[in-house]
């Protein structure tokens, strides 16, 4: 059973979330706090497994509260619950398990609880340095007004769209407010630039044609062009990854 804290300065929001959480058999004790300061006082007496935090609270807001929790010996799994989509990237920087938009839907909340369970299991399992480094990187994305977290290793390729980048996975694509040049630098361990408009994940390459007049690679159902300028760098990366291109 998971013990949780709900911190929100609006009592109706606390009541609604507490009701929804109470419908899930995995949830045990539900603590409530109407401010960040009250949440801190409660947590010093009653450590919890997970904290559902509103972002916009007077005094200590949700982000301030999350930073304060980092000093706790037993740090709860964090889920931000807010009407504001703009805080998703900061939530990701604070290692949030999830980011829920109000009004919270039951099925979406259940997925958050599943993520909490997985995070708690990972904390309970002694990890070697190698296992810790193998934890997948999570990215905050928005689709249809809903913000969610996806794994970086789910991204098959990245497409440049002006100052933004579109992340393509098997099931959907997501526009993120990050230039592709930044992603090329940050993800250089598993991604390679093949074109001014495309960055591909080497593990997801299904077919490679580097000869002929129109070199290309296939990622999932998408066939992407390879520019002549970037062809030598791609060949080098493929050789180092022990992938051999077709002639």
């Amino acid at each position: 059973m998971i013990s949780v804290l709900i911190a929100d300065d609006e009592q109706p929001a606390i009541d609604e979330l507490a009701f929804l959480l109470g419908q899930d058999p995995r949830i045990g004790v539900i603590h409530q706090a109407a401010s960040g300061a009250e949440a801190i006082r409660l947590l010093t007496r009653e450590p919890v497994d997970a904290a559902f935090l509103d972002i916009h609270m007077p005094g200590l807001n949700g982000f301030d509260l999350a930073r304060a929790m980092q000093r706790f010996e037993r740090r709860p799994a964090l889920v931000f619950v807010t009407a504001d989509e703009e805080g998703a990237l900061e939530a990701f920087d604070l290692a949030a398990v999830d980011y829920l938009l109000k009004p919270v839907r039951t099925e979406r909340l259940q997925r958050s609880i599943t993520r909490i369970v997985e995070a708690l299991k990972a904390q309970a399992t002694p990890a070697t340095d190698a296992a810790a480094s193998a934890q997948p990187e999570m990215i905050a994305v928005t689709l249809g007004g809903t913000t969610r977290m996806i794994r970086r290793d789910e991204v098959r390729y990245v497409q440049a769209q002006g100052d933004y980048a579109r992340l393509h996975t098997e099931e959907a694509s997501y526009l993120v407010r990050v230039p592709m040049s930044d992603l090329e630098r940050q993800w250089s361990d598993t991604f390679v630039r093949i074109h001014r408009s495309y960055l591909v994940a080497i593990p997801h390459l299904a077919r490679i044609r580097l000869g002929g007049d129109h070199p290309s690679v296939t990622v999932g159902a998408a066939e992407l062009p390879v520019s002549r300028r970037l062809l030598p760098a791609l060949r080098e990366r493929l050789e180092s990854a022990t992938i051999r291109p077709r002639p």
Side-chain angles (χ1 to χ4, degrees):
M1 300 287 281
I2 303 169
S3 60
V4 303
L5 164 70
I6 303 172
D8 197 312
D9 62 325
E10 297 182 357
Q11 189 60 45
I14 291 179
D15 294 340
E16 179 181 6
L17 184 54
F19 173 78
L20 294 176
L21 286 169
Q23 305 307 300
D24 194 299
R26 294 170 292 182
I27 299 298
V29 179
I30 302 174
H31 299 280
Q32 302 180 10
S35 68
E38 183 180 348
I40 291 293
R41 288 194 297 271
L42 188 149
L43 290 172
T44 58
R45 303 191 309 268
E46 300 284 346
V48 299
D49 298 313
F52 290 79
L53 310 180
D54 182 33
I55 291 178
H56 300 293
M57 294 186 289
L60 282 176
N61 65 32
F63 291 142
D64 295 333
L65 182 54
R67 294 186 188 96
M69 289 181 185
Q70 292 176 343
R71 300 194 297 269
F72 287 18
E73 182 176 351
R74 180 182 171 187
R75 182 180 178 234
L78 298 176
V79 177
F80 289 98
V81 187
T82 179
D84 183 6
E85 296 181 16
E86 299 301 318
L89 290 179
E90 188 168 356
F92 170 66
D93 288 340
L94 290 166
V97 171
D98 210 345
Y99 191 92
L100 298 177
L101 291 180
K102 297 177 180 179
V104 177
R105 294 179 290 111
T106 301
E107 62 274 17
R108 185 67 182 83
L109 181 60
Q110 289 173 344
R111 291 205 300 270
S112 288
I113 296 170
T114 297
R115 292 182 179 184
I116 291 169
V117 171
E118 292 173 350
L120 294 174
K121 286 181 179 178
Q123 290 177 8
T125 303
T128 62
D129 290 342
S133 63
Q135 292 296 317
E137 178 182 340
M138 304 300 291
I139 308 154
V141 297
T142 302
L143 181 64
T146 299
T147 300
R148 56 172 294 200
M149 309 294 282
I150 64 169
R151 293 163 50 131
R152 194 236 280 195
D153 58 17
E154 293 176 352
V155 179
R156 295 183 168 190
Y157 66 96
V158 182
Q159 182 180 9
Q161 292 200 340
D163 293 333
Y164 298 158
R166 182 168 292 279
L167 311 182
H168 292 263
T169 67
E170 180 180 6
E171 59 182 27
S173 68
Y174 309 91
L175 192 65
V176 294
R177 298 178 180 180
V178 181
M180 194 164 76
S181 57
D182 288 355
L183 294 180
E184 179 183 9
R185 183 178 65 256
Q186 296 170 16
W187 294 358
S188 61
D189 55 336
T190 55
F191 282 75
V192 60
R193 189 75 169 260
I194 62 166
H195 189 274
R196 66 181 180 180
S197 298
Y198 296 106
L199 189 67
V200 299
I202 293 175
H204 286 293
L205 289 174
R207 190 176 184 184
I208 305 162
R209 290 188 178 276
L210 302 186
D213 295 332
H214 303 287
S216 65
V217 299
T218 301
V219 184
E223 184 175 0
L224 307 176
V226 178
S227 72
R228 291 292 180 183
R229 180 178 64 84
L230 295 171
L231 193 54
L234 176 59
R235 287 185 184 275
E236 183 178 346
R237 285 295 301 275
L238 293 177
E239 289 174 1
S240 65
T242 67
I243 298 176
R244 297 292 180 263
R246 296 184 180 184

